[in-house]
């Protein structure tokens, strides 16, 4: 009995010592369900394209009859529903993809730190000979891998939709749009990880990160309508994600580097905060 218990503890210790593999393993099950969900939504949405393409004039008239703030909030500049870029932009990449990417990133990042602390897993993990900096870095890298796989699910589901509806669009541009969403989600993963590492409170981390995401969306979409918000809209994370219209113009390197810089800055802050906080 003692030998069996010792072997079990030794195997657990080996797993916990490899923080990156443990963190990746923890992401597998939720990532599976998130991937199935986003793939289903994307494919179902793509199936609507033939109807919008064949009735583009009617949809254009409908858009023209809507108030400008409502147009900016829901479709942005993607008002040509009949074109592949307009359809993908308005129906997927302006609201649906970033919204779900944000939810996935915030929930995953809050669970990997604050969630584990609440369940007592983090305290057990730190009882092994690992430094706190490694814990934060390895968990963040696992979140990046999960976000990349999530983006791959989006890309393949868009590809499937393109094949099903015979849409003519550059796969390179689709890839660049998904890449922009991935960087956008990574920035929010790092921000939520910082909140979790600094407070150990999952509810607080999810609430603040969600509020910031919603505020950045409102500031970006309303910035074109409200003069007071226009300067702030240019520093909104949504601006760095979709402002250059990657579906048409490709990735804007300045915007991409900015999102990477935001993620790196909050990763550093997460390490700084976690190394100085008592674990509950």
């Amino acid at each position: 009995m003692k030998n069996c218990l010792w072997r079990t503890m030794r195997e657990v210790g080996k797993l916990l010592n490899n923080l990156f593999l443990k963190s990746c393993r923890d992401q597998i099950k939720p990532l599976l369900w998130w991937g199935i969900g986003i793939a289903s939504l994307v494919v179902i949405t793509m199936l609507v394209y033939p109807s919008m393409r064949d009735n583009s004039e009617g949809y254009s008239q409908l858009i023209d009859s809507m108030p400008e703030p409502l147009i900016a909030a829901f479709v942005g500049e993607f008002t040509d529903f009949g074109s592949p870029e307009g359809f993908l932009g308005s129906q997927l990449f302006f609201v649906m993809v970033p919204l779900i990417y944000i939810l996935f990133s915030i929930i995953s990042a809050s669970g990997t730190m604050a969630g584990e602390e609440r369940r007592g897993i983090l305290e057990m993990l730190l009882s092994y000979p690992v430094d706190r900096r490694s814990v934060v870095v390895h968990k963040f890298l696992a979140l990046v891998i999960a976000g990349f796989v999530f983006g791959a699910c989006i890309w393949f589901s868009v590809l499937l939709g393109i094949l099903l509806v015979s849409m003519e669009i550059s796969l390179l541009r689709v890839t660049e749009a998904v890449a922009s969403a991935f960087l956008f989600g990574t920035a929010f993963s790092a921000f939520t990880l910082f909140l979790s590492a600094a407070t150990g409170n999952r509810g607080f981390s999810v609430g603040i990160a969600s509020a910031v995401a919603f505020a950045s969306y409102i500031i970006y979409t309303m910035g074109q309508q409200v003069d007071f918000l226009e300067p702030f809209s240019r520093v909104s994370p949504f601006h760095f994600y979709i402002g250059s219209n990657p579906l048409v113009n490709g990735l804007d390197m300045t915007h991409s580097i900015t999102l990477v810089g935001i993620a790196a800055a909050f990763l550093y802050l997460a390490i700084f905060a976690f190394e100085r906080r008592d674990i509950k």
Side-chain angles (χ1 to χ4, degrees), residues 264-277:
F266 279 114
L267 174 60
Y268 173 80
L269 290 174
I271 294 171
F272 181 85
F274 192 60
E275 286 182 333
R276 289 159 177 77
R277 186 174 65 83

Side-chain angles (χ1 to χ4, degrees), residues 20-149:
F20 177 69
L21 290 181
K22 174 194 176 296
S23 300
C24 287
R25 184 207 64 177
D26 293 341
Q27 297 290 337
I28 292 176
K29 186 174 180 180
L31 183 58
L32 175 64
W33 292 112
W34 278 99
I36 292 174
I38 188 63
S40 301
L41 282 173
V42 168
V43 172
I44 291 173
T45 301
M46 293 285 290
L47 294 177
V48 181
Y49 173 66
S51 173
M52 286 193 169
R53 179 189 57 201
D54 297 338
N55 298 280
S56 58
E57 292 185 3
Y59 284 106
S60 296
Q61 293 175 359
L62 177 63
I63 289 294
D64 292 339
S65 66
M66 295 171 61
E68 288 189 8
L70 200 60
I71 297 173
F74 289 102
V75 298
E77 298 179 358
F78 302 99
T79 55
D80 183 10
F81 293 171
S83 69
E85 294 81 6
F87 175 82
L88 290 179
S90 63
Q91 304 304 308
L92 289 179
F93 287 99
F94 188 73
V95 175
M96 182 188 295
V97 167
L99 173 63
I100 297 179
Y101 231 125
I102 286 175
L103 289 175
F104 170 75
S105 300
I106 290 176
I107 292 174
S108 299
S110 63
T112 196
M113 291 293 291
E116 288 190 357
E117 182 173 351
R118 182 176 58 83
R119 298 194 303 271
I121 297 175
L122 197 57
E123 184 178 2
M124 180 181 66
L125 177 62
L126 293 176
S127 68
Y128 286 83
V130 292
D131 60 271
R132 294 194 177 198
R133 180 186 300 266
S134 296
V135 172
V136 177
V137 171
H138 287 195
K139 286 184 176 297
F140 175 72
L141 291 177
L143 290 172
V144 172
I145 295 298
F148 180 83
V149 174

